Amino acid sequence: MKSVFLLFIGIIVFTMVLNGCSSAVSTVTPIEGEEGNFEQGKAGEVTLVIGAYSVAKDAIEELLPLFQEKWLAETGQKVIYQQSYEASGTQARAIIGGFDADIAILAMEGDIDTIEAAGLITHDWRNNEHKGMISRSIVVLGAREGNPLHIQDWNDLTRADVRVLYPNPKTSGGAQWDINAIFGAGLKLSEQELGYADEKYAKNFLKQIHANVESLDKSGRASMAAFEYGVGDVIVTYENELRARISKGIPYEIIIPEHTILIENPIAIIDKHVDEHHNREVAQSFYNYMMSEEAQSIFVKHGFRAVNEQVAADSQDLFEQPADIFDIEYLGGWDHVRELLYSKRGIWYQVLADL
């Protein structure tokens, strides 16, 4: 009798464990050939993990419930988000180090390239009409109400009475855009004064501005927060950061330099992770939605310039065009810029070391 009783208890325990496992596991398997539909009896939720750079946080967080509503209407399935917002370089390193983001939205394509080089992205993420970009902006100068120091252009940032803010390019993609803009402006000025683009001139120009930097924060968002707390007289930042705050009633002044750089921010699906999570379909739908007129209009609302051609045309009157805008190719492309400016013996580190 004792052995029968023990056998009976064992069957009950085994059944409880089995039921517990089946209720804890949530898998989503699309019906082959039927996009957006799922087999009966599958879980009513799907998780999407998003790793983004800090500056894009406000726009993305407004878009998430809109896509959630759209996906629910199309599939009957609720999207559960896991989100992380960090400086772009920090976010890229986190993804490579084990943070299993399905979607990466970062400040610069070089950070996506490092994820690809680590083997996590296996498709050609640039191969679409927007070349893998989700938003655009430009590097501008921000001053406090009334522009009390009469900042007009990059040259004013070399003055002894001006305290400057921009983040650390070692951790922040936004900071690299800032440094690229200053260095590129130096090249443009050397063309005007010397008749050719001179790297030594541009390095010295960057060095003069950096001498007035008040602090190097971890990210563009952290730098903006420091400026809001009263640190510094002028901030070098994304145009969208200032436009978003002005729209909320903060009386900042935007100064668009004569020479500045076009910022392009990338988005990519992380193949390794979506394959592990079995959520490629929702990830691809989210990606496509980010390029839609609705989503791009919300990026514009938050101060970004759209990559969607229709939205860009509709919103062009909202944005002032710089007298001379250049892109990363003017500096030789990202591979050249990483070596020239940000390698161990690059110009940026020479500036830090006062060489």
Side-chain angles (χ1 to χ4, degrees):
M1 288 294 295
K2 184 177 181 181
S3 60
V4 173
F5 177 76
L6 291 175
L7 177 61
F8 176 72
I9 293 298
I11 291 171
I12 292 174
V13 171
F14 176 77
T15 302
M16 292 174 64
V17 170
L18 186 61
N19 290 337
C21 290
S22 64
S23 63
V25 175
S26 176
T27 59
V28 180
T29 307
I31 300 174
E32 186 175 354
E34 294 187 28
E35 184 173 347
N37 295 314
F38 295 85
E39 294 181 51
Q40 293 294 330
K42 296 299 180 181
E45 296 180 350
V46 61
T47 299
L48 193 62
V49 185
I50 299 168
Y53 72 112
S54 58
V55 170
K57 181 179 181 181
D58 293 342
I60 294 170
E61 289 196 329
E62 183 170 346
L63 287 164
L64 294 182
L66 296 179
F67 176 73
Q68 187 181 57
E69 182 180 348
K70 176 179 181 292
W71 185 256
L72 181 64
E74 292 177 356
T75 69
Q77 192 176 44
K78 182 178 180 180
V79 180
I80 304 299
Y81 297 107
Q82 294 179 8
Q83 308 163 61
S84 170
Y85 299 93
E86 283 284 356
S88 185
T90 302
Q91 192 70 270
R93 287 188 291 274
I95 292 170
I96 293 168
F99 169 45
D100 57 347
D102 301 307
I103 299 280
I105 301 173
L106 300 181
M108 58 186 192
E109 60 188 278
D111 287 332
I112 299 290
D113 286 337
T114 60
I115 298 171
E116 182 180 32
L120 303 182
I121 299 174
T122 55
H123 70 287
D124 183 358
W125 65 270
R126 290 182 177 85
N127 186 23
N128 57 50
E129 62 178 313
H130 305 302
K131 298 181 179 179
M133 301 302 154
I134 189 174
S135 60
R136 297 189 180 110
S137 191
I138 60 174
V139 173
V140 300
L141 311 178
R144 304 190 189 283
E145 184 176 11
N147 192 6
L149 295 183
H150 307 290
I151 304 298
Q152 299 298 320
D153 210 332
W154 292 115
N155 281 315
D156 293 311
L157 274 58
T158 68
R159 290 166 21 196
D161 63 325
V162 175
R163 299 173 303 155
V164 180
L165 281 183
Y166 51 66
N168 189 341
K170 184 176 181 181
T171 57
S172 169
Q176 290 195 23
W177 282 117
D178 297 340
I179 301 304
N180 295 348
I182 297 170
F183 187 78
L187 292 176
K188 292 285 187 176
L189 292 172
S190 70
E191 287 183 24
Q192 294 176 354
E193 294 185 22
L194 306 175
Y196 62 94
D198 184 75
E199 290 180 0
K200 290 183 179 179
Y201 184 106
K203 171 188 170 182
N204 186 57
F205 188 62
L206 174 59
K207 191 174 180 179
Q208 288 177 303
I209 292 176
H210 185 69
N212 290 335
V213 168
E214 190 88 345
S215 66
L216 288 174
D217 294 294
K218 180 180 178 181
S219 68
R221 182 53 56 90
S223 186
M224 195 70 232
F227 190 63
E228 290 177 341
Y229 290 145
V231 179
D233 302 306
V234 59
I235 185 169
V236 182
T237 189
Y238 284 19
E239 176 189 41
N240 55 277
E241 280 282 70
L242 292 169
R243 289 179 65 91
R245 281 158 178 76
I246 290 170
S247 70
K248 295 176 181 177
I250 303 175
Y252 290 141
E253 305 276 344
I254 298 178
I255 300 104
I256 297 182
E258 178 182 1
H259 310 290
T260 194
I261 196 166
L262 173 67
I263 295 168
E264 295 184 290
N265 310 122
I267 178 174
I269 293 173
I270 311 299
D271 296 294
K272 182 176 186 294
H273 295 158
V274 297
D275 289 343
E276 290 174 349
H277 298 162
H278 305 291
N279 63 353
R280 181 175 292 274
E281 191 172 12
V282 68
Q284 185 64 59
S285 183
F286 178 86
Y287 183 104
N288 295 343
Y289 176 71
M290 291 295 104
M291 305 304 171
S292 70
E293 290 186 19
E294 181 179 55
Q296 288 286 298
S297 295
I298 288 174
F299 274 103
V300 170
K301 173 186 172 182
H302 287 272
F304 290 92
R305 300 180 182 220
V307 298
N308 179 290
E309 290 184 7
Q310 185 60 55
V311 177
D314 292 344
S315 60
Q316 63 180 348
D317 292 342
L318 299 175
F319 298 95
E320 180 182 345
Q321 298 304 315
D324 180 26
I325 189 168
F326 56 91
D327 61 19
I328 196 67
E329 295 306 317
Y330 173 70
L331 301 180
W334 272 112
D335 288 343
H336 179 69
V337 167
R338 283 192 289 267
E339 180 63 28
L340 177 67
L341 293 180
Y342 306 114
S343 63
K344 290 183 179 180
R345 297 186 180 181
I347 287 173
W348 166 250
Y349 292 98
Q350 293 175 34
V351 168
L352 283 182
D354 196 24
L355 298 176

